[in-house]
């Protein structure tokens, strides 16, 4: 971030400015860019939502949320500068003929606009129509769409068609904030800047891969959204498949948006479909019941605020995914993600194959295979488990398992870990689509996810219960144990 240019002046138009994502992530991310000197002095932030309020109400709302969500504390000069950029516009997004008030507000600002849709995806089409009707879409404008785009392949096509009827693909930024995380980006560096890994990254050297994205939070008051979606649509269809595709893709020709996206797409397309016939063997869905986290009792999913007591929505998913191509045939990728797990803890573990022969049997009967752990969050870092000789005079070779540990906080102690939304917002301002998801990727991911959801629905089975604060249903242990393997805890 240090060497980035100061960008041209833009209008950042936040639809859904008073919502959860905006207050927790988007406004703080924009403040951080301002603090880093990365917003042009004339850039404005126009918050749009349906509540009737004034500019100063929006400024007060922003003040409160920056205070709560900028953990390092606020810099007085940057804070004042940031607040002075804020403008509020009331609008019901569904009234597609009433965008003239917004047009008036934007007429006083910058010509280049970034429209950020931080609303339920079902209204992305209405917003696009409203902007078009008011003559608010120009070639230099960009649109950012939050995930999940749609509820299934068909609904994602409808949304994408509506947005694409007025924006070209090179103006559309489909955000998946995991692609902006420092450690997810580091996958590219780890894989393609280190011959040690580049040359050992396939079925000949790797036994299996585990990807865990665990959250200790529940649904945080988002019942309405979450119960419709579930963990499959909320996390697997997007974040986990994006991580998987970066991990498994062929080397892209360069770092350009389409080189990377072409390779990711091939991986998603090569995922072996999970069907009604094998869904039980290859997936587990769970739902948390009451339990304990950090010593405190927490309610079960069906007791959450606003809950429908009979919901069968899953809050946990485990999948044995397989990629049918030359590089990965025979290498399972075990995915696991859930709410109300013991800790926020996301990591990728690459299990290399065992040595074919052990010459150290006298001191170590079963030589463990090397393991590369990429800690995504928190405590970001990379760790390689290797065997090492214990120093000593004894004639017998004493060896043990040890770790090469590259912890980000220790190695880069003076560098701040930039939040994903800061990076992605800057990329949108800079017009770089590399870290955004192309339409064909979204659709390929839906195809794969839909077939699992369809198989779950056909089986009519309830999700398996797991106590809040545990690692998920017992059957998720069996899923991997059937292959004689176990989850890394
Ligand atoms: N929250 C999160 O952590 C994450 C969210 N996302 C995605 O971001 C998007 C926004 O999520 P989130 O912020 O949680 O949702 P919220 O429901 O908290 O916010 C949505 C905002 O849109 C407004 N809105 C909805 N419909 C209309 C309308 N017809 N006219 C005017 N305003 C309207 C809401 O206003 P009102 O309050 O009046 O209803 C609210 O301000 C979603 O697509 C979600 O999937 C993605 C990753 C993480
Ligand atoms: O997209 C989403 O992500 C968050 C988890 O994001 P993280 O950056 O905190 O790992 C998740 O809680 C939310 O349900 C989902 O919509």
């Amino acid at each position: 971030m240090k060497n980035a240019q100061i960008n041209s002046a833009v209008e950042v138009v936040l639809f859904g400015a008073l919502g959860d994502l905006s207050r927790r992530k988007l406004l703080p991310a924009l403040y951080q860019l301002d603090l880093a000197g990365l917003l042009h002095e004339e850039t404005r932030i126009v918050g749009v939502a349906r509540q009737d309020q004034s500019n100063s109400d929006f400024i007060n709302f922003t003040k409160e949320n920056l205070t709560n969500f900028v953990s390092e504390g606020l810099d007085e000069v940057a804070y004042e500068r940031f607040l002075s950029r804020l403008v509020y516009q009331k609008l019901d997004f569904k009234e597609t003929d009433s965008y003239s008030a917004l047009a008036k507000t934007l007429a006083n600002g910058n010509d280049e606009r970034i429209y950020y849709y931080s609303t339920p995806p079902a209204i992305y089409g209405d917003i696009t129509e409203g902007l078009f009707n008011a003559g608010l879409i120009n070639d230099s404008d960009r649109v950012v769409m939050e995930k999940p785009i749609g509820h299934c392949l068909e609904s994602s096509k409808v949304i994408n068609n509506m947005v694409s009827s007025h924006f070209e693909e090179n103006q559309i930024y489909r955000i998946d904030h995991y692609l902006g995380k420092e450690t997810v980006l580091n996958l590219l560096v780890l894989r393609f800047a280190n011959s040690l890994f580049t040359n050992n990254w396939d079925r000949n050297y790797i036994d299996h891969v585990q990807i865990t994205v665990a959250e200790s939070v529940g649904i945080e008051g988002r019942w309405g959204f979450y119960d419709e979606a579930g963990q499959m649509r909320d996390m697997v269809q997007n974040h986990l498949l994006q991580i998987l595709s970066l991990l498994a893709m062929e080397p892209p020709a360069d770092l350009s948006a389409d080189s990377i996206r072409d390779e990711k797409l091939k991986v998603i397309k090569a995922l072996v479909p999970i069907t009604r016939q094998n869904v039980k063997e290859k997936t587990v869905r769970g739902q948390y019941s009451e339990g304990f986290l950090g010593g405190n009792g927490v309610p079960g999913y069906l007791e959450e605020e606003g809950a429908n007591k009979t919901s069968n929505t899953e809050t946990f998913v485990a999948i044995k995914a397989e990629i049918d191509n030359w590089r990965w045939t025979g290498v399972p990728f075990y995915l696991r993600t859930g709410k109300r797990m013991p800790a926020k803890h996301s990591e990728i573990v690459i299990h290399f194959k065992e040595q074919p022969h052990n010459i150290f049997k006298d001191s170590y009967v079963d030589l463990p295979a090397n393991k590369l752990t990429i800690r995504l969050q928190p405590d970001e870092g990379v760790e390689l488990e290797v065997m090492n000789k214990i120093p000593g005079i004894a004639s017998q070779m004493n060896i043990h398992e040890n770790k090469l540990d590259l912890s980000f906080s220790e190695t880069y102690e003076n560098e701040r870990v930039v939040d994903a939304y800061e990076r992605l917002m800057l990329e949108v301002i800079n017009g770089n689509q590399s870290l955004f998801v192309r339409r064909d990727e979204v659709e390929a991911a839906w195809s794969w996810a839909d077939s699992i959801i369809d198989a779950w629905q056909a089986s009519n089975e309830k999700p398996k219960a797991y106590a809040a604060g545990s690692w998920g249903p017992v059957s998720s242990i069996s899923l991997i144990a059937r292959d004689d393997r176990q989850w890394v805890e």
Side-chain angles (χ1 to χ4, degrees):
M1 299 278 275
K2 270 185 189 152
N3 300 324
Q5 304 289 318
I6 297 188
N7 311 286
S8 52
V10 289
E11 296 284 277
V12 179
V13 187
L14 288 183
F15 288 91
L18 304 180
D20 179 70
L21 184 70
S22 167
R23 65 192 186 85
R24 282 193 308 112
K25 293 289 182 183
L26 306 181
L27 291 166
L30 286 162
Y31 162 79
Q32 292 287 7
L33 292 183
D34 200 353
L35 175 66
L38 295 170
L39 292 187
H40 188 282
E41 58 178 10
E42 282 169 21
T43 285
R44 294 199 315 170
I45 294 147
V46 182
V48 196
R50 63 182 149 197
Q51 286 179 34
D52 197 2
Q53 63 171 34
S54 62
N55 278 352
S56 55
D57 292 333
F58 183 49
I59 290 172
N60 287 335
F61 167 88
T62 306
K63 277 182 177 170
E64 188 187 326
N65 287 299
L66 292 186
T67 308
N68 290 340
F69 296 110
V70 177
S71 53
E72 306 89 334
L74 296 162
D75 172 275
E76 215 173 303
V77 176
Y79 178 62
E80 290 305 327
R81 186 173 61 224
F82 184 71
L83 296 177
S84 73
R85 298 176 186 278
L86 300 173
V87 178
Y88 182 77
Q89 176 63 54
K90 173 182 183 259
L91 179 66
D92 185 330
F93 306 156
K94 288 190 176 165
E95 291 177 8
T96 54
D97 290 323
S98 63
Y99 281 53
S100 50
L102 177 63
K104 218 164 155 190
T105 301
L106 297 184
N108 300 324
N110 299 292
D111 293 340
E112 209 173 312
R113 295 167 196 140
I114 292 167
Y115 296 117
Y116 198 120
Y117 296 177
S118 179
T119 71
I123 54 177
Y124 293 170
D126 291 328
I127 302 176
T128 309
E129 209 48 46
L131 290 173
F132 177 75
N133 291 344
L136 286 173
I137 301 181
N138 296 317
D139 291 351
S140 60
D141 296 338
R142 276 146 269 171
V143 59
V144 186
M145 291 200 273
E146 266 297 339
K147 50 73 39 183
I149 298 179
H151 195 68
C152 59
L153 176 60
E154 282 318 306
S155 56
S156 86
K157 281 185 178 169
V158 171
I159 294 170
N160 276 318
N161 284 343
M162 295 207 294
V163 175
S164 325
S165 61
H166 299 304
F167 289 99
E168 297 297 327
E169 182 64 27
N170 66 10
Q171 294 176 282
I172 303 176
Y173 291 70
R174 294 181 193 81
I175 209 160
D176 181 312
H177 75 274
Y178 270 61
L179 291 180
K181 287 186 189 279
E182 210 60 87
T183 42
V184 174
L185 280 175
N186 193 41
L187 288 176
L188 289 174
V189 182
L190 205 63
R191 285 197 57 196
F192 303 120
N194 297 292
S195 60
L196 168 68
F197 298 126
T198 312
N199 298 326
N200 295 292
W201 206 259
D202 62 24
R203 64 192 303 277
N204 296 313
Y205 300 94
I206 293 178
D207 176 73
H208 75 281
V209 176
Q210 297 183 18
I211 303 177
T212 297
V213 177
E215 292 181 86
S216 56
V217 293
I219 53 162
E220 304 295 284
R222 294 202 292 154
W223 175 274
F225 158 76
Y226 190 85
D227 196 58
E228 285 284 307
Q231 197 72 354
M232 186 71 187
R233 296 185 177 95
D234 189 38
M235 297 293 290
V236 179
Q237 186 272 345
N238 33 80
H239 304 322
L240 274 90
L241 289 190
Q242 285 296 320
I243 297 174
L244 172 72
S245 58
L246 282 176
L247 202 61
M249 71 182 181
E250 295 303 312
D254 51 39
L255 288 177
S256 70
D258 279 335
S259 296
I260 295 177
R261 301 190 300 183
D262 286 346
E263 297 308 332
K264 284 196 293 163
L265 175 66
K266 287 181 203 160
V267 174
I268 303 174
K269 281 187 160 172
L271 281 168
V272 178
I274 294 178
T275 60
R276 294 181 182 194
Q277 284 67 41
N278 60 16
V279 73
K280 268 192 179 173
E281 179 200 324
K282 298 207 170 172
T283 73
V284 172
R285 50 194 301 262
Q287 188 186 74
Y288 62 85
S289 53
E290 65 182 338
F292 287 88
L293 264 157
N296 299 317
V298 293
Y301 180 66
L302 300 182
E303 287 86 49
E304 291 284 6
E305 194 191 325
N308 146 12
K309 309 281 177 210
T310 56
S311 168
N312 277 336
T313 297
E314 78 287 348
T315 60
F316 172 94
V317 178
I319 303 178
K320 176 181 175 181
E322 287 154 299
I323 301 170
D324 213 1
N325 66 14
W326 280 83
R327 186 182 284 268
W328 294 117
T329 292
V331 180
F333 286 71
Y334 299 98
L335 316 179
R336 161 175 83 149
T337 178
K339 306 276 189 232
R340 286 289 189 225
M341 298 186 74
K344 186 169 180 72
H345 173 85
S346 301
E347 68 178 21
I348 301 166
V349 186
I350 316 286
H351 292 250
F352 288 92
K353 289 197 164 162
E354 286 177 4
Q355 288 288 48
H357 175 62
N358 180 4
I359 59 170
F360 302 103
K361 279 201 194 78
D362 287 350
S363 71
Y364 223 104
V365 179
D366 285 320
L367 270 187
N370 297 123
K371 231 166 45 189
L372 173 69
T373 302
I374 301 160
R375 296 193 301 267
L376 300 178
Q377 62 183 26
D379 187 22
E380 292 83 356
V382 178
E383 195 176 280
L384 182 63
E385 283 183 28
V386 290
M387 295 304 292
N388 212 30
K389 179 181 176 304
I390 303 171
I393 191 78
S395 57
Q396 182 195 0
M397 200 76 97
N398 283 328
I399 66 175
H400 75 152
E401 208 175 346
N402 218 330
K403 287 175 183 165
L404 300 175
D405 190 354
L406 194 154
S407 152
F408 280 20
S409 60
E410 283 167 20
T411 316
Y412 309 109
E413 58 183 334
N414 296 324
E415 297 289 335
R416 188 178 143 255
V417 175
V418 172
D419 185 78
Y421 278 98
E422 287 170 44
R423 177 186 314 282
L424 295 174
M425 199 67 99
L426 183 65
E427 295 299 317
V428 180
I429 295 174
N430 285 338
N432 178 7
Q433 289 185 307
S434 305
L435 302 181
F436 297 84
V437 186
R438 209 168 52 194
R439 177 173 178 161
D440 47 8
E441 286 180 80
V442 174
E443 296 187 351
W446 272 125
S447 283
W448 190 73
D450 277 357
S451 128
I452 299 177
I453 295 169
D454 165 77
W456 283 341
Q457 279 165 355
S459 82
N460 220 8
E461 267 193 28
K462 283 179 177 303
K464 306 266 187 294
Y466 64 98
S470 72
W471 283 101
V474 180
S475 43
S476 66
I477 301 173
S478 327
L479 173 96
I480 186 165
R482 278 197 291 276
D483 296 340
D484 229 1
R485 300 182 175 113
Q486 58 187 31
W487 295 108
V488 175
E489 299 293 338

